[in-house]
């Protein structure tokens, strides 16, 4: 195990198309790219056919589908041979139970009930003595007809393609399957029952993912034994912890993990703007959504907000983001997560259960952040309580009783379950509902973002980076992940719309006259998606829009689909892309913004890679990547193409900024090599403030104790062009011995020196690329 934090990571999304063996074959390429550490998606055994690995069924072995432990060990050996590290994504909060036979722990619970040695592993309510499994089809009969389809085969109870274990002594040859079913520790019930009652905690609203009780020391040990075995052998350098907010006590879990694992740990904690990571967590930081918001936001023009708001208003698209979030969260609490609400309300023993449920739902929908961490997170709790009382004064007495219970027992079950559930409500109500309803400017509708904040001013950006450098210098930063709603380059292109809101509004109105979707919010989302990803296939666009429509939960949803509306959405991409005149108009508009999008993409990439923290590169994003939300962002990556282009760069090729994306590969390579092999200490952060007529179009900073590395990016590129270019705009550079050189072009910068002031003309510095990566080299001798 390496003692230091990585200088960078490269995320590999493992699955059928990218096994551990294939990952080992990529190590040489990653090393040449400048990557310090391979960052692997979950590699423990997942549900059969899993495409992502977050549906773990057996935490005691490496997934055979990925190559098993021999392939993992071989990958680590290859990484070590190149001096590289390895970080693994772990999933402590939940396990897949969708296919019971695949999960040995769950299978044993179903077979032996509460007497199972594994019953303590899952967060199960045994108050009814049996565990209800909502799997039966329901044609309005509460699953009664489906029960007639039960059978017995190979010592198991069967229903369609599902298999369930039989408790010892509960079956004899010739027994009626329905009678055998009645003797089990579980009951198969209608899938619709999951909408009102569940006997086990789950991951968000996914019935096939059961919550795990990691607060139990024995469960912790069993769930981490394999992972910690790798660490003890020196075969693991870091851990990315998935969704710790779903755990009973995230801080206690992370402290226990730190006691057993001394390496680099980052937690997937979604911070709201202005929120800090709990200081008591012994981790290096988050997985980087906070940095994503800041870096992407600095390329959005606040002046475009009125024009894009006017467009959305004219179409009937919600523009009150606070109201959209509140509505989405209430819906999530009252509908999607009602079983969790019912379970919490039952703990209150209130004489009016309906009022208790309403109070719990309102409280859960009122938190200002994903979770409060009692007792240190009392401020978030108090804010939620005050907002709930203001929204529902008729429930003040119930809320007061709940508050009194929590204050008396801050570690009691009601407090614990409210805290576990509030993040679920936030995620489902905001990210997976409101972000698909309030679609004014979808580049801002990102995990950890706040669409009501239209962009990030440069001063705010610098202040955030300085705080990160001071408080969390080894936190992860990112621009794209497996969970982002759209890739960094899609957001970069869409950010350009903030510079030309009137042009975009006129274009949307033209396009709508030819092919409009019936829901205005989905329609505006569709046109932005088409611009952001152009050119895109009808199949990819169809799959994305169908997912967006179901997440939106307005005309259709996952639980209550509208086949007619779904068919209309599914047909839209083909209709649009077969309309030659419409496509020509869209293509012309994209031609107007494409180059500016490239400029934004290079700028945000450079700021992330050179800025404070440990930058992660999501697989494939070293070239232009116009991906959408999963599973689109898990498509196969053409690494052969990337290796070929890398070879050109290694031979000294200085690429153009064009459709190949080679310029982005160039920026990524130079920045990563600088961090890993450049011999530069990047501690410290100094904002650089340009001056001159186009000063607002540049953002720059210096790094290192000697301030001998500088990153420079162009922002609002269309505005820069309209202003006539950089003209006499200059950038002050830290003074000191040596000469500044741009690693991207090899250009030696000759700053003007007057009265001890050292400044570079941006017109010269950014003549080739819209970004510059400068290092000050000491004079020889």
């Amino acid at each position: 195990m390496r003692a230091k934090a990585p200088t960078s990571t490269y995320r590999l999304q493992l699955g059928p198309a990218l096994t551990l063996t294939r990952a080992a074959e990529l190590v040489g390429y990653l090393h040449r790219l400048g990557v310090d550490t391979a960052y692997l998606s979950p590699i423990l055994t997942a549900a059969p056919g899993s495409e992502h690995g977050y549906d773990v069924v057996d935490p005691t072995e490496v997934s055979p589908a990925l190559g098993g432990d021999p392939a993992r060990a071989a990958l680590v050996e290859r990484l070590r041979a190149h001096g590289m590290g390895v970080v693994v994504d772990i999933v402590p909060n939940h396990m897949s139970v969708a296919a019971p036979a695949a999960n040995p722990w769950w299978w044993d619970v179903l077979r032996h009930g509460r007497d199972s040695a594994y019953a303590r592993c899952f967060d199960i309510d045994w108050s009814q003595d049996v565990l209800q499994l909502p799997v039966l089809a329901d044609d309005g009969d509460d699953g009664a007809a489906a029960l007639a389809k039960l059978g017995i085969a190979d010592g198991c109870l069967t229903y369609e393609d599902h298999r369930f274990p039989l408790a010892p002594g509960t079956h004899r040859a010739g027994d009626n399957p329905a009678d055998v079913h009645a003797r089990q520790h579980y009951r198969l019930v209608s899938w619709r029952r999951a909408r009102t009652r569940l006997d086990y905690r789950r991951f968000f609203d996914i019935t096939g993912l059961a919550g795990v009780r990691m607060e139990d020391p024995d469960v912790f040990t069993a769930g981490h034994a394999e992972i910690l075995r790798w660490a003890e052998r020196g075969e693991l350098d870091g851990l990315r912890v998935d969704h710790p907010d779903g755990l009973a006590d995230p801080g206690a879990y992370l402290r226990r993990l730190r006691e057993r694992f001394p390496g680099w740990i980052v937690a997937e904690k979604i911070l709201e703007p202005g929120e800090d990571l709990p200081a008591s967590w012994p981790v290096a930081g988050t997985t980087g959504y906070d940095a994503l918001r800041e870096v992407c936001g600095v390329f959005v023009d606040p002046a475009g907000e009125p024009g894009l708001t006017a467009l959305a208003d004219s179409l009937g698209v919600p523009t009150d983001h606070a109201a959209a979030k509140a509505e989405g969260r209430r819906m999530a609490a009252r509908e999607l997560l009602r079983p969790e609400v019912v379970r919490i309300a039952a703990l209150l023993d209130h004489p009016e259960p309906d009022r208790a449920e309403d109070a719990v739902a309102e409280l859960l929908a009122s938190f200002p952040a994903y979770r409060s961490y009692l007792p240190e997170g009392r401020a978030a709790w108090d804010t939620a309580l005050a907002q709930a009382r203001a929204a529902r004064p008729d429930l003040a007495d119930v809320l007061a009783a709940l508050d009194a219970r929590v204050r008396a027992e801050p570690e009691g079950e009601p407090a614990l379950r409210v805290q576990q559930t509030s993040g679920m409500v936030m995620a489902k109500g905001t990210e997976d509902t409101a972000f698909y309803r309030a679609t004014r400017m979808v580049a801002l509708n990102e995990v950890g973002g706040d669409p009501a904040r239209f962009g990030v001013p440069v001063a705010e950006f610098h202040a955030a980076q300085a705080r990160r450098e001071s408080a969390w210098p080894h936190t992860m930063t990112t621009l794209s992940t497996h969970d982002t709603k759209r890739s960094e380059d899609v957001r970069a292109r869409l950010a350009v719309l903030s510079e030309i809101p009137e042009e975009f509004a006129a274009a949307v109105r033209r396009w709508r006259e030819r092919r409009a979707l019936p829901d205005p919010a989905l329609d505006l989302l569709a046109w932005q998606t088409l611009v952001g990803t152009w050119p895109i296939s009808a199949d990819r666009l169809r799959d994305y829009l169908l997912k967006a429509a179901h997440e939106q939960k307005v005309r259709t949803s996952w639980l209550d689909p509208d086949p007619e509306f779904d068919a209309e959405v599914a047909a839209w991409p083909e209709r649009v892309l077969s309309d030659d005149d419409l496509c020509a108009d869209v293509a012309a508009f994209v031609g107007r913004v494409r180059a500016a999008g490239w400029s934004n993409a290079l700028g945000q990439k450079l700021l992330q890679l050179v800025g404070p923290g440990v930058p992660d590169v999501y697989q494939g994003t070293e070239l232009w990547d116009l991906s959408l939300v999963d599973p689109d962002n898990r498509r196969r990556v053409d690494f052969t193409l990337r290796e070929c282009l890398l070879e050109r760069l290694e031979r000294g090729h200085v690429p153009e900024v064009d459709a190949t994306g080679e310029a982005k590969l160039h920026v990524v390579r130079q920045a990563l090599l600088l961090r890993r092999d450049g011999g530069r200490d990047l501690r410290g952060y100094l904002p650089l403030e340009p001056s001159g007529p186009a000063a607002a179009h540049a953002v720059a900073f210096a790094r290192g104790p000697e301030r001998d590395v500088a990153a420079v990016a162009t922002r609002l590129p269309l505005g820069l062009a309209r202003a006539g270019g950089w003209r006499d705009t200059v950038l002050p550079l830290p003074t000191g011995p040596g000469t500044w050189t741009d690693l991207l072009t090899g250009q030696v910068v000759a700053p003007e020196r007057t009265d001890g002031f050292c400044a570079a003309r941006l017109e010269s510095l950014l003549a080739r690329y819209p970004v510059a990566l400068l290092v000050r080299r000491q004079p020889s001798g």
Side-chain angles (χ1 to χ4, degrees):
M1 181 184 298
R2 302 191 305 174
K4 61 185 180 64
T7 63
S8 68
T9 61
Y10 187 100
R11 168 70 173 206
L12 290 170
Q13 190 64 42
L14 303 177
L18 182 56
T19 63
L20 290 163
T21 299
R22 174 59 178 142
E25 296 170 354
L26 298 174
V27 169
Y29 163 74
L30 297 180
H31 184 262
R32 290 159 52 210
L33 185 62
V35 173
D36 176 68
T37 295
Y39 160 32
L40 309 179
S41 62
I43 63 174
L44 296 174
T45 301
S50 175
E51 297 283 339
H52 48 75
Y54 288 93
D55 43 1
V56 175
V57 295
D58 187 350
T60 67
E61 68 169 5
V62 177
S63 170
L66 297 179
D69 196 59
R72 179 202 62 83
L75 169 59
V76 173
E77 184 178 2
R78 181 75 63 88
L79 289 166
R80 293 294 191 246
H82 285 79
M84 298 173 66
V86 58
V87 168
V88 173
D89 200 340
I90 61 172
V91 190
N93 175 63
H94 57 269
M95 294 177 71
S96 174
V97 297
N103 187 323
W105 294 9
W106 187 252
W107 185 266
D108 197 80
V109 171
L110 297 185
R111 179 172 169 80
H112 297 287
R114 64 199 315 166
D115 293 329
S116 167
Y118 296 97
R120 66 194 300 178
C121 298
F122 300 98
D123 191 355
I124 298 173
D125 178 3
W126 289 106
S127 61
Q128 302 300 312
D129 292 325
V130 295
L131 178 59
Q132 295 189 76
L133 303 180
V135 299
L136 299 180
D138 186 346
D139 294 322
D141 60 355
D142 198 32
L147 284 173
K149 299 180 181 179
L150 297 182
I152 306 290
D154 300 324
C156 297
L157 184 70
T158 65
Y159 168 67
E160 295 183 340
D161 59 346
H162 299 282
R163 296 170 61 244
F164 304 91
L166 298 178
T170 60
H171 168 246
R172 294 185 303 274
D175 279 358
N176 186 303
D179 295 335
V180 175
H181 172 237
R183 300 173 191 142
Q184 303 310 310
H185 297 288
Y186 55 85
R187 292 291 182 274
L188 307 185
V189 298
S190 164
W191 68 270
R192 295 184 188 276
R193 297 261 193 107
R195 303 176 75 166
T196 56
R197 176 179 172 80
L198 269 178
D199 295 328
Y200 58 92
R201 180 173 59 85
R202 55 189 171 166
F203 174 68
F204 294 155
D205 60 341
I206 304 174
T207 305
L209 296 176
V212 176
R213 297 184 63 254
M214 277 296 166
E215 63 270 27
D216 185 314
D218 291 338
V219 177
F220 178 95
T221 299
H224 294 76
E226 179 68 4
I227 295 164
L228 296 176
R229 181 181 68 82
W230 309 335
E232 290 167 0
R233 294 184 176 185
E235 297 171 350
L236 183 65
D237 303 297
L239 292 170
R240 182 262 193 196
V241 180
D242 183 71
H243 188 52
D245 276 346
L247 298 169
D249 188 339
Y253 165 81
L254 292 168
R255 286 188 285 274
R256 181 174 287 137
L257 183 63
R258 170 57 70 203
E259 290 172 0
R260 301 288 301 276
F261 179 73
W264 186 66
I265 302 175
V266 289
E268 189 203 18
K269 167 62 185 171
I270 311 301
L271 297 173
E272 290 295 292
E275 181 186 6
D276 292 322
L277 195 67
S280 62
W281 287 14
V283 298
T286 73
T287 53
Y289 286 108
D290 42 332
L292 182 157
R293 181 189 69 85
E294 299 153 9
V295 174
C296 294
V298 82
F299 294 90
V300 173
D301 188 356
E305 182 174 10
L308 292 177
T309 300
L311 170 64
D313 283 337
S314 71
L315 300 178
V317 176
T319 55
D320 185 336
H321 290 277
K325 287 195 294 185
E327 180 184 5
R329 292 177 193 177
R330 287 193 179 98
M331 181 278 303
R334 294 171 180 169
E335 299 178 26
L336 301 179
L337 299 167
R338 186 156 181 255
E340 286 72 18
V341 169
V342 169
R343 189 171 182 181
I344 296 169
L347 297 171
L348 304 181
D349 297 322
H350 195 275
E352 299 175 89
D354 290 346
R355 294 186 72 234
E357 291 172 18
D358 286 348
V360 170
E362 191 64 41
L363 178 65
L364 290 171
S366 300
F367 278 87
Y370 270 67
R371 177 170 175 154
S372 60
Y373 303 95
L374 299 176
E376 62 183 307
R378 175 66 63 184
W381 174 272
D382 290 343
T383 297
L385 195 68
Q387 291 186 359
R389 283 170 172 160
R392 293 293 303 272
D394 58 310
L395 299 173
D397 59 322
V398 188
L399 290 166
L402 174 57
D403 182 42
R405 179 82 172 269
V406 169
R407 288 180 183 275
E409 301 178 76
E411 297 180 354
E413 189 174 2
L416 181 154
R417 295 203 178 279
V418 168
Q419 292 178 89
Q420 280 184 299
T421 310
S422 64
M424 298 159 63
V425 171
M426 173 80 82
K428 297 306 299 181
T430 300
E431 297 166 19
D432 292 344
T433 302
F435 281 3
Y436 291 96
R437 294 181 177 182
T439 56
R440 172 188 65 176
M441 174 61 164
V442 297
L444 303 173
N445 294 20
E446 194 50 82
V447 180
D450 182 358
R453 299 188 178 203
F454 205 93
V456 175
V458 173
E460 181 182 327
F461 169 81
H462 284 312
Q465 308 322 301
R467 283 196 301 272
R468 180 169 295 109
E469 172 64 15
S470 174
W472 303 97
H474 303 303
T475 187
M476 180 181 280
T477 67
T478 191
L479 294 180
S480 295
T481 78
H482 60 285
D483 279 334
T484 41
K485 302 301 183 185
R486 48 199 59 81
S487 70
E488 60 202 62
D489 295 336
V490 173
R491 292 195 304 273
R493 185 185 290 179
L494 291 178
V496 183
L497 303 182
S498 68
E499 297 194 70
I500 51 170
E502 289 77 16
E503 287 184 45
F504 179 63
V508 167
R509 293 189 176 99
R510 288 195 310 273
W511 301 338
R512 281 176 50 83
E513 289 178 0
R514 301 180 70 95
R515 305 285 180 188
L517 281 166
D519 179 82
L522 187 65
D523 184 67
L524 185 54
L525 171 64
W527 294 118
Q528 290 179 76
T529 302
L530 191 61
V531 169
T533 59
W534 185 271
I536 186 173
S537 70
D539 288 346
R540 284 181 60 211
L541 186 56
R542 179 198 64 234
D543 292 347
Y544 170 74
L545 290 177
L546 282 172
K547 178 169 184 173
H550 287 86
E551 296 284 25
Q552 189 190 55
K553 307 172 192 70
V554 176
R555 294 284 300 274
T556 188
S557 70
W558 299 114
L559 293 177
D560 294 304
D562 181 332
E564 185 175 343
F565 182 76
D566 289 349
E568 191 166 358
V569 173
W572 188 83
E574 187 63 45
R575 290 171 180 166
V576 168
L577 297 179
S578 62
D579 185 329
D580 292 342
D581 291 339
L582 178 55
C583 285
D585 195 1
V586 172
F589 184 86
V590 173
R592 170 89 166 89
V593 301
R594 180 185 284 115
W598 289 339
S599 176
N600 286 344
L602 294 177
Q604 64 184 16
K605 200 66 178 175
L606 183 68
L607 297 186
Q608 181 229 353
L609 294 180
V610 184
V614 177
D616 176 57
V617 177
Y618 185 72
Q619 63 174 31
T621 60
E622 61 269 36
L623 293 183
W624 304 138
D625 176 67
L626 301 179
S627 293
L628 295 166
V629 73
D630 70 291
D632 192 67
N633 59 23
R634 288 189 268 110
R635 289 172 293 131
R636 186 188 297 267
V637 174
D638 187 347
F639 284 106
T640 301
L641 170 63
R642 286 159 175 78
E643 290 192 70
C644 291
L645 294 177
L646 180 60
E647 289 175 3
R648 282 164 48 92
L649 296 177
E650 291 172 334
R651 292 196 298 267
H653 177 62
V654 180
E656 300 295 327
V657 181
D658 58 22
T660 66
E662 197 172 1
K664 189 180 183 188
L665 181 67
H666 184 42
V667 169
V668 170
R669 173 176 176 261
Q670 292 291 2
L672 294 184
L673 287 172
L674 173 68
R675 293 191 74 110
R676 191 190 68 192
D677 302 335
R680 301 280 172 165
D681 183 349
L682 294 187
R683 287 177 296 178
Y685 184 89
L686 176 69
L688 300 179
E689 304 292 346
S691 61
H697 295 281
V699 55
F701 55 76
R703 300 294 314 278
E706 305 300 324
R707 306 298 192 259
D708 55 359
V709 173
V712 188
T714 303
R715 61 188 297 267
L716 314 184
L718 289 183
L720 175 63
R722 288 195 296 269
W726 294 111
R727 292 177 287 159
D728 294 326
T729 305
V730 296
L731 179 73
L733 293 173
T735 57
T739 303
W740 288 97
T741 302
D742 184 1
L743 295 182
L744 303 179
T745 63
Q747 173 187 359
V748 176
V749 180
E752 301 175 356
R753 299 175 183 269
T754 57
D755 299 326
F757 180 71
C758 172
R761 293 179 61 85
L762 288 179
E763 184 174 34
S764 173
L765 182 63
L766 301 178
R768 180 67 181 269
Y769 293 127
V771 294
L773 176 55
L774 307 177
V775 297
R776 188 174 61 217
R777 292 176 170 147
Q778 301 295 328
S780 59

